[in-house]
Amino acid sequence: LGFVSNFYFWTQDNYFAQGSELSPLLHTWSLAIEEQFYILLPIFLYTLRNLPRKVIYFLLICLTIASFSLSVWASLNTGGSANFFFSVTRFWELLVGSILALKTPTTFNFKHADKVGFSLLLIAIFCLDKNVSHPGFLTLIPVIGTALLICSNDRGFIHKFLSLTPMIYVGSISYALYLFHQPIFSFYRIQFGIS
């Protein structure tokens, strides 16, 4: 309720530890980081409301670079739970979306953005796993891939694929699935002794 479960799980076992699979609320760490971001960003923007939009945009880029740099530094020097669960090392991922919201996507003109973005997401899905220090430099792969898909003006086969009814349906229920998947899997593992 206080949006601090990321700090709680920071003090517990590693996210990818075998015992973590039995924690029914483990997934709330990311919800906590999102809520912290959604509380702090409007306050930050409100304090800058009298500045020109370009200055605000520049400051958001600076914050993004600072947060990303801290996550890369932490992945190389500390790693572990602190980097994974710490808000400041994760905010840059959300700030990229904020920057996209300020910058009109129609001004983005990269002919193959959808294909490159989709390819980067496939690379992330099939090549990044629990052995990759995350967040860190390689986290750029899914973040940039997603940003490119959002900005793409192309209406080619990637757009058509993502516009298929089954894809839209999965997208429309994905947040609800995220909210409920961990407790179901966790209690299933506890009940049947699966680890």
Side-chain angles (χ1 to χ4, degrees):
L1 293 177
F3 312 129
V4 292
S5 64
N6 60 314
F7 297 115
Y8 169 75
F9 288 115
W10 179 0
T11 65
Q12 303 303 303
D13 211 345
N14 182 292
Y15 177 82
F16 295 105
Q18 195 169 8
S20 295
E21 295 177 344
L22 303 179
S23 177
L25 297 178
L26 178 65
H27 65 309
T28 62
W29 73 269
S30 66
L31 300 174
I33 288 177
E34 286 178 33
E35 292 306 323
Q36 292 160 20
F37 179 80
Y38 296 138
I39 289 169
L40 293 175
L41 183 67
I43 294 170
F44 175 74
L45 292 175
Y46 182 76
T47 60
L48 304 177
R49 68 189 180 280
N50 295 324
L51 293 176
R53 189 177 176 117
K54 287 182 178 180
V55 174
I56 296 171
Y57 187 70
F58 174 75
L59 291 173
L60 283 176
I61 290 173
C62 290
L63 279 177
T64 305
I65 292 170
S67 175
F68 171 70
S69 299
L70 183 60
S71 76
V72 170
W73 177 86
S75 73
L76 296 173
N77 294 288
T78 63
S81 293
N83 189 34
F84 189 88
F85 290 115
F86 192 40
S87 311
V88 178
T89 59
R90 303 307 294 249
F91 278 173
W92 71 271
E93 299 168 68
L94 295 165
L95 281 164
V96 169
S98 301
I99 290 167
L100 291 179
L102 277 179
K103 194 73 170 173
T104 308
T106 55
T107 62
F108 186 81
N109 189 18
F110 175 31
K111 188 175 181 182
H112 301 291
D114 61 333
K115 295 172 191 69
V116 174
F118 193 72
S119 299
L120 288 173
L121 289 179
L122 289 176
I123 290 169
I125 290 168
F126 293 109
C127 298
L128 302 182
D129 58 21
K130 63 182 178 181
N131 298 315
V132 173
S133 183
H134 178 71
F137 188 76
L138 292 178
T139 309
L140 279 173
I141 295 172
V143 172
I144 290 175
T146 302
L148 288 173
L149 276 177
I150 291 169
C151 289
S152 174
N153 291 323
D154 194 345
R155 294 295 177 253
F157 72 93
I158 299 292
H159 173 77
K160 290 176 183 172
F161 172 70
L162 295 175
S163 299
L164 291 172
T165 302
M167 298 301 288
I168 292 172
Y169 177 73
V170 169
S172 68
I173 65 168
S174 63
Y175 191 72
L177 285 176
Y178 180 76
L179 291 178
F180 289 101
H181 83 286
Q182 181 64 21
I184 292 170
F185 290 156
S186 178
F187 289 131
Y188 182 85
R189 290 182 185 110
I190 292 168
Q191 177 65 33
F192 297 103
I194 300 170
S195 57

